[in-house]
Amino acid sequence: MQHHQPVPEDKQAQLLEALKAKFETSGQDINAYLEGLLYADYLSYWDYIHLDTLLSLQNQETTFPDEMIFITYHQITELYFKMILSEMEQIGKQTDVSEADFTMRMSRINRYFEMLVQSFDIMGEGMEAAQFRKFRLSLTPASGFQSVQFRMIEIRATEFINLVDKEVRHELHADQPMRELYEHIYWKRGATELSTGKKTLTLQKFEEKYEHTLIAFAEEARHTNLWTAYERLQTHTTPGEKLIQAMRHFDTLVNIDWALAHFKSAMRYLHQEPESVAATGGTNWQQYLPPFFQKRIFYPELWSDTEKQNWGKSWVEKHVLTQKNKPGKK
Ligand code: HEM
């Protein structure tokens, strides 16, 4: 707690007057509040951040100690997602966001995502593979695939059409009803068996809980996503290099760097010779997760054709196909 200098009397009188005015407007008696201050306890750090509650949330499904790392790191990630969404909302909901504010908030978002990319080795390297392969079985059919905040970040980042499965994108229009566009969102296809059209249980459960919310969210984000905010800015100024670079950086962080750090972890734990083990969410993850196949790009307008063609390619060559990380490394 900070120690304040004694308030000069005229300042104190001013404060009292202001308080009186405040309470009078809502018909309250200031004296009751002032007396209340006499009995009120000091705020503590642990109450302020709800430390006991926070530390009571890491409830394991098994007794393997490394499962605690797995749960906690997911929770940390979700908290960063929350901070990212808050910045995105502040950019998107302003009708006349300034370039300086937009750029400052994009830098914040990028700083958070950089943390997530840099720390992903906590997953990739930081757990004993033997423990992971056992405790993960108790988590089926739960999967990070069901992270609604991750989906909200994607929806707030870009025009919805860019999240539509690229095989059918050319058949659809950006201004079609959201329900129709949503039917073709890329992750549905990723979690659907193409020959039978059967959805994985992971996807079914996710849709039961969130489909309604996400469609409404996407409808609202048509006008409040980052790209529309950028376009609004473009109507009265030519955005400078700093903002453009920040948007490109964000695109790379989410759709290449994070995606591949995540994929690398999946390779380490789930890829075993002669064949890979099934993911808890049941996708064909080797085809589904790598950005080079998916080519998910939030801001296609900000990249050249060659850059788009090579999306994620150099990362795979450097990190995945080198001897050190050859499939099968335990
Ligand atoms: C050892 C750690 C991890 C492994 C082995 C792993 C594995 C997988 C796999 C195989 C999928 C494909 C869906 C499925 O079939 O389940 C997936 C999807 C996903 N996971 Fe993870 N994951 C790990 C950690 C995390 C963490 C820490 C997060 C953070 C929230 C996360 C978020 C996601 C998301 C958002 C998807 C959907 C990605 C997309 O649709 O492109 N994962 N994960």
Side-chain angles (χ1 to χ4, degrees):
M1 288 291 137
Q2 276 181 313
H3 292 281
H4 294 288
Q5 295 294 323
V7 186
E9 257 181 42
D10 55 345
K11 177 74 183 169
Q12 220 164 61
Q14 273 176 24
L15 283 173
L16 269 176
E17 277 313 308
L19 279 173
K20 233 190 241 163
K22 170 186 163 164
F23 287 116
E24 262 168 28
T25 353
S26 37
Q28 301 290 296
D29 173 12
I30 185 182
N31 290 342
Y33 286 88
L34 288 178
E35 199 174 335
L37 282 177
L38 276 181
Y39 313 128
D41 198 0
Y42 292 105
L43 182 65
S44 62
Y45 169 78
W46 53 90
D47 281 339
Y48 181 57
I49 66 155
H50 293 275
L51 187 63
D52 290 349
T53 310
L54 185 65
L55 299 182
S56 72
L57 299 173
Q58 294 68 44
N59 302 312
Q60 300 188 200
E61 291 291 318
T62 71
T63 53
F64 293 105
D66 284 5
E67 193 197 336
M68 205 271 282
I69 304 170
F70 191 68
I71 298 184
T72 312
Y73 186 74
H74 277 81
Q75 292 180 338
I76 292 169
T77 304
E78 291 290 345
L79 289 175
Y80 273 105
F81 286 170
K82 182 171 179 164
M83 291 161 78
I84 290 163
L85 279 167
S86 161
E87 296 300 331
M88 293 177 111
E89 187 176 331
Q90 289 179 72
I91 298 171
K93 287 198 169 167
Q94 290 181 55
T95 42
D96 55 352
V97 64
S98 72
E99 185 168 349
D101 194 32
F102 199 149
T103 312
M104 178 268 284
R105 292 187 193 285
M106 283 309 299
S107 310
R108 289 187 186 179
I109 293 172
N110 287 342
R111 216 170 287 130
Y112 302 146
F113 241 106
E114 273 163 18
M115 282 289 298
L116 292 177
V117 171
Q118 282 160 19
S119 62
F120 212 91
D121 275 351
I122 293 172
M123 293 285 92
E125 304 289 331
M127 295 179 293
E128 235 179 65
Q131 287 190 41
F132 180 85
R133 289 193 188 118
K134 287 183 187 138
F135 73 69
R136 62 181 285 279
L137 298 171
S138 313
L139 314 181
T140 314
S143 166
F145 180 91
Q146 296 170 317
S147 166
V148 73
Q149 289 203 104
F150 185 81
R151 302 313 185 192
M152 289 163 93
I153 290 173
E154 294 182 297
I155 292 171
R156 262 245 195 281
T158 183
E159 294 272 46
F160 198 86
I161 193 82
N162 292 325
L163 300 176
V164 162
D165 176 7
K166 65 179 179 353
E167 301 298 320
V168 294
R169 199 176 297 161
H170 62 279
E171 298 165 18
L172 299 158
H173 293 286
D175 42 13
Q176 250 172 275
M178 191 48 77
R179 180 158 281 286
E180 290 171 23
L181 291 177
Y182 189 85
E183 261 321 292
H184 300 284
I185 188 125
Y186 77 84
W187 69 68
K188 276 192 193 239
R189 183 179 156 99
T192 303
E193 201 184 302
L194 294 181
S195 53
T196 59
K198 201 168 161 19
K199 294 174 181 177
T200 61
L201 184 59
T202 304
L203 176 60
Q204 287 174 38
K205 293 278 173 200
F206 179 72
E207 291 188 336
E208 274 168 32
K209 183 157 171 67
Y210 291 120
E211 185 165 72
H212 205 63
T213 320
L214 279 183
I215 292 175
F217 184 80
E219 190 60 61
E220 191 233 276
R222 269 187 204 271
H223 312 289
T224 56
N225 70 67
L226 296 188
W227 185 250
T228 49
Y230 182 85
E231 282 186 325
R232 274 200 298 278
L233 193 70
Q234 270 184 322
T235 57
H236 55 88
T237 179
T238 309
E241 230 3 65
K242 228 173 144 187
L243 178 57
I244 294 174
Q245 286 311 331
M247 308 264 299
R248 283 165 52 109
H249 190 36
F250 176 58
D251 211 349
T252 328
L253 280 168
V254 182
N255 290 319
I256 299 181
D257 301 341
W258 188 86
L260 280 163
H262 177 250
F263 178 63
K264 208 171 85 172
S265 292
M267 287 290 274
R268 165 155 187 244
Y269 296 108
L270 305 181
H271 190 92
Q272 288 172 291
E273 305 291 1
E275 58 186 33
S276 294
V277 278
T280 52
T283 58
N284 185 352
W285 58 271
Q286 296 98 321
Q287 262 90 62
Y288 177 64
L289 292 180
F292 183 58
F293 302 134
Q294 286 273 351
K295 284 206 169 56
R296 274 194 316 262
I297 303 178
F298 291 153
Y299 311 117
E301 296 83 350
L302 301 183
W303 299 99
S304 70
D305 286 344
T306 320
E307 284 170 326
K308 282 186 272 199
Q309 269 153 25
N310 293 328
W311 197 249
K313 197 173 166 188
S314 58
W315 201 103
V316 179
E317 281 165 1
K318 188 162 151 230
H319 295 269
V320 182
L321 299 178
T322 56
Q323 196 57 37
K324 182 170 162 280
N325 289 305
K326 267 239 160 81
K329 184 198 162 220
K330 304 291 182 302

